[in-house]
Amino acid sequence: MASRRVLQIGGATVAVGGAYYLYSAGGNPTVAEKKLEHDVSAAGARLKGQDLSGKEAQKKGEVLAKEAGATLDRTVDNVRADIRQADKVITSKMNEAGSKVDQLKDEGTKAFNDTSKELQQTADSFDKKVNQKTSEAKSGISSWLGFGK
């Protein structure tokens, strides 16, 4: 007799539950079924300890947002530091290249001036020798022709 009573109470509970979901779905059995599935999964989550109420979910979302923001801030700071370091390296290399260009320019100018002086001295020496040899040749020719010294 007790088992019969349990079956009656269980059957009545199922009938009342079905009626509740059907009524809340506006008489649409498909929507009632979806609501029942949602409620069953929510109850299962509560039993497993995964239940998050709206406030708990909001708090957890805020914590996750803060963590993501902090990670983003660290990443931005790291990128800025890398850019500053790269800027220092580039500036240093530019200064080094500028001083090297100035050094090479000075060396080139000095080499040009030295070469120019040597060329001028060689030309002067050649000119003197030509004049000297020309004078000697003139005096030799003049002496042959009787105009000489």
Side-chain angles (χ1 to χ4, degrees):
M1 183 157 179
S3 64
R4 186 173 172 181
R5 186 130 173 105
V6 170
L7 284 175
Q8 286 178 345
I9 293 174
T13 305
V14 169
V16 169
Y20 165 77
Y21 282 107
L22 192 58
Y23 175 78
S24 67
N28 188 342
T30 307
V31 175
E33 185 180 353
K34 296 289 183 193
K35 283 186 178 186
L36 177 65
E37 288 174 3
H38 176 267
D39 287 348
V40 168
S41 70
R46 281 189 197 125
L47 290 175
K48 292 178 184 175
Q50 298 174 352
D51 181 35
L52 293 179
S53 67
K55 288 187 178 187
E56 290 174 355
Q58 184 177 2
K59 287 179 184 177
K60 187 166 186 155
E62 288 173 357
V63 168
L64 291 174
K66 285 180 184 178
E67 289 175 3
T71 301
L72 182 63
D73 289 342
R74 281 193 305 272
T75 303
V76 168
D77 290 342
N78 290 342
V79 168
R80 285 182 180 159
D82 290 347
I83 289 172
R84 276 189 237 111
Q85 182 63 29
D87 188 41
K88 286 178 185 178
V89 169
I90 289 170
T91 303
S92 151
K93 295 295 182 182
M94 284 177 46
N95 291 338
E96 186 179 316
S99 65
K100 187 70 172 177
V101 166
D102 290 342
Q103 178 186 358
L104 290 173
K105 180 181 170 187
D106 292 344
E107 289 175 4
T109 303
K110 185 177 183 288
F112 176 77
N113 290 339
D114 291 347
T115 304
S116 178
K117 285 180 186 178
E118 287 179 27
L119 181 63
Q120 189 65 36
Q121 289 173 352
T122 304
D124 288 345
S125 173
F126 177 74
D127 208 22
K128 285 181 185 178
K129 282 186 181 180
V130 167
N131 286 337
Q132 181 185 6
K133 294 296 180 180
T134 304
S135 296
E136 289 175 10
K138 278 185 185 178
S139 67
I141 292 175
S142 296
S143 64
W144 288 349
L145 298 174
F147 301 116
K149 301 177 185 179

